[in-house]
Amino acid sequence: CFHYQEEKAIERGILPLLRRATLVQTFGQKDHVCLKEGSINIPPYAPPQKMKTHLVPPETPRSIFVYFRGLFYDTANDPEGGYYARGARASVWENFKNNPLFDISTDHPPTYYEDMQRAIFCLCPLGWAPWSPRLVEAVVFGCIPVIIADDIVLPFADAIPWDEIGVFVAEDDVPKLDTILTSIPMEVILRKQRLLANPSMKQAMLFPQPAQPGDAFHQILNGLARKLPHSKSVYLTPGQKALNWTQGPKGDLKPW
């Protein structure tokens, strides 16, 4: 389903063995044979402990307007430059490499996580796939994700109000990115930042070990529970909205 085998995946479709299964997958792309109806989309993995060690004080000012670190061209796999990211990343570079509001580069500095916490907007463009761990990092570090991927299907839409915390920019509108972002009213920016500061929002995107209530593992299990053919009263006690999947013997929480 990824770029180097996509043609084969499109030709074969979902394997017959899996057509009645619920797929738990990071592959979130609308109208694509690899996205099975009824799938549970999950965030890519980002290391929770590593990210925790790079937290800066919450009062640190956000002095970077737009931040991005990553490839703009993939000359190794796309030497002609017409396929990678459908040209969206190349457009970001060509239009904004000299714009002082845009801190963008192919360098990946040791202060990458700290820099995201000093930025207001973090670009999350598609690459070979519509998503990347950058989306998780932006949410965890309170940087408003600017999602540039026309056909993306985002994880846990019932737990994370993507429209309220992010900014969606059409791939064709990338040349207008500076106008789009500078025209967002300050009160809208502050509202998005307040929502991103909610610990439950960050928790829902991470896979800590052992699992913790409300984390991505819980979101997956809640999604599976909603597919069960019986009512919630079977597995929820009165007053409960979601099952705490970490209840029970501690030994059950250890990975095999």
Side-chain angles (χ1 to χ4, degrees), residues 26 42-47 131-136 155 205-207:
T26 56
I42 66 173
Y45 180 79
W131 69 95
S132 76
R134 198 174 283 106
L135 192 65
V136 178
M205 294 291 280
L206 295 172
F207 293 92

Side-chain angles (χ1 to χ4, degrees), residues 119 122 184 186:
C122 287
I184 298 174
M186 181 54 67

Side-chain angles (χ1 to χ4, degrees), residues 131-253:
W131 69 95
S132 76
R134 198 174 283 106
L135 192 65
V136 178
E137 294 160 352
V139 171
V140 169
F141 291 134
C143 187
I144 298 170
V146 180
I147 299 163
I148 307 169
D150 292 350
D151 48 9
I152 193 169
V153 178
L154 290 160
F156 309 147
D158 54 330
I160 299 175
W162 291 104
D163 287 336
E164 295 179 42
I165 65 170
V167 175
F168 290 81
V169 176
E171 293 165 28
D172 287 345
D173 289 339
V174 166
K176 299 183 284 188
L177 196 53
D178 54 346
T179 304
I180 292 169
L181 297 180
T182 54
S183 64
I184 298 174
M186 181 54 67
E187 59 267 25
V188 174
I189 291 174
L190 292 173
R191 184 167 69 246
K192 291 180 184 295
Q193 289 176 334
R194 282 194 296 270
L195 287 169
L196 285 166
N198 185 338
S200 66
M201 205 83 67
K202 307 173 192 298
Q203 186 80 331
M205 294 291 280
L206 295 172
F207 293 92
Q209 295 246 1
Q212 299 171 8
D215 67 6
F217 180 62
H218 279 66
Q219 303 300 335
I220 294 169
L221 293 179
N222 287 334
L224 290 171
R226 283 192 290 272
K227 292 178 176 291
L228 294 173
H230 47 252
S231 71
K232 291 182 179 181
S233 61
V234 173
Y235 59 90
L236 293 181
T237 58
Q240 264 190 326
K241 291 184 180 179
L243 190 60
N244 180 2
W245 298 96
T246 56
Q247 288 176 337
K250 289 187 177 180
D252 289 351
L253 299 179

